[in-house]
Amino acid sequence: MGIKKQLEFVKKKIAKCESEAGRHAGDVTLIAVSKTFDADHIRPALDAGHRVYGENRVQEAKGKWPELQRDFADVELHLIGPLQSNKAKEAVALFDVIHSVDRPKIARAIRLEMEKQNKHLQLFVQINIGNEPQKAGILEEEADDFIAFCRDDLSLPIKGLMCIPPFDEDPGPHFVTLAEIAKRNGLDQLSMGMSGDYDKAIAKGASHVRVGSAIFGQRDYPL
Ligand SMILES: *Cc1c(COP(=O)(O)O)cnc(C)c1O
């Protein structure tokens, strides 16, 4: 199957999952994760009309998206990977949404750059939902305080929460936990679900699914 077919397949499956979960058609935003693929590999998805893309590295995204955006000006770019504060300037300039706000230092750096560049991004707080030592994200027990800090102290536009559940566990309970943290903090957007589990994530209330390999094929290296 080509990229266009695979994209159509994923979109159909999302529509089916929305309907099965009793949700409205179009409720779920598909972020096509194009990391590791070059501009030529992404173009078929753009030609097919898809406009929402995810990248996990600022530097890599900078190398391919400005060129693509000359032809497709209405692209919406999501940063889904960890951000270092020395890259905040470039990230705020290039991206429309950041899913990886996970510590005070990066929250402050994003705020400063949004002010400087007079650009308003949408932000998600990343939760380390399985409390995994090697993984990015704020710990579950620190989530409420950190969300309050971002919103009240920094006036950041936090729209929702993002998670990457542990690879070797059933993601369902983790999706439920993310939804609970969001609910008690008055947030209604949930960035959860990847190629292997976006159906389950939609059943548990995902507003954004981040799907890479099911659309673009296997990556040469597993970033
Ligand atoms: C790579 C990546 C994805 C997409 O993964 P697939 O399994 O290829 O769909 C989703 N979210 C994040 C944060 C990623 O880094």
Side-chain angles (χ1 to χ4, degrees):
M1 264 202 289
I3 288 168
K4 192 172 170 220
K5 278 267 154 59
Q6 286 169 173
L7 180 64
E8 273 169 20
F9 177 86
V10 170
K11 287 192 166 171
K12 279 211 187 100
K13 188 164 154 184
I14 288 173
K16 186 165 168 270
C17 293
E18 284 171 337
S19 135
E20 282 171 3
R23 303 181 53 185
H24 294 294
D27 237 18
V28 177
T29 299
L30 169 62
I31 303 171
V33 177
S34 48
K35 66 185 183 191
T36 79
F37 293 109
D38 62 17
D40 286 343
H41 197 92
I42 301 168
R43 270 181 196 278
L46 286 159
D47 288 333
H50 195 70
R51 289 296 179 267
V52 185
Y53 292 84
E55 292 282 346
N56 70 335
R57 292 183 172 193
V58 178
Q59 226 44 38
E60 183 191 331
K62 240 185 109 185
K64 58 188 166 184
W65 279 102
E67 171 200 335
L68 291 166
Q69 282 169 314
R70 275 194 284 279
D71 298 333
F72 302 93
D74 54 346
V75 160
E76 185 180 292
L77 268 191
H78 294 241
L79 177 63
I80 60 172
L83 179 59
Q84 274 143 21
S85 42
N86 63 357
K87 297 269 168 61
K89 181 179 175 181
E90 292 169 307
V92 167
L94 184 62
F95 289 93
D96 303 291
V97 186
I98 295 177
H99 292 241
S100 48
V101 182
D102 68 351
R103 58 196 187 279
K105 193 175 176 196
I106 203 65
R108 284 201 186 88
I110 291 170
R111 184 197 137 114
L112 186 69
E113 282 305 326
M114 291 200 332
E115 262 174 26
K116 273 195 193 161
Q117 301 181 31
N118 193 21
K119 191 177 168 194
H120 289 273
L121 281 72
Q122 295 194 7
L123 304 174
F124 286 75
V125 167
Q126 183 175 352
I127 311 288
N128 184 349
I129 204 77
N131 290 332
E132 295 174 283
Q134 81 285 8
K135 227 175 224 169
I138 192 102
L139 292 174
E140 200 188 317
E141 66 256 29
E142 295 167 7
D144 296 353
D145 284 348
F146 180 66
I147 294 164
F149 167 75
C150 290
R151 294 204 292 203
D152 304 340
D153 298 7
L154 300 182
S155 306
L156 280 174
I158 303 293
K159 299 292 178 193
L161 304 180
M162 179 270 222
C163 76
I164 309 169
F167 287 113
D168 51 354
E169 290 176 25
D170 175 7
H174 294 294
F175 293 151
V176 170
T177 302
L178 194 75
E180 284 167 1
I181 302 171
K183 190 166 183 220
R184 69 172 182 250
N185 285 281
L187 296 167
D188 61 1
Q189 301 200 27
L190 296 169
S191 167
M192 57 189 199
M194 307 177 22
S195 291
D197 55 18
Y198 66 92
D199 51 343
K200 288 185 185 138
I202 293 169
K204 305 294 184 205
S207 63
H208 294 69
V209 292
R210 311 176 308 266
V211 180
S213 45
I215 296 170
F216 293 109
Q218 288 305 317
R219 288 178 293 273
D220 286 343
Y221 50 105
L223 263 181

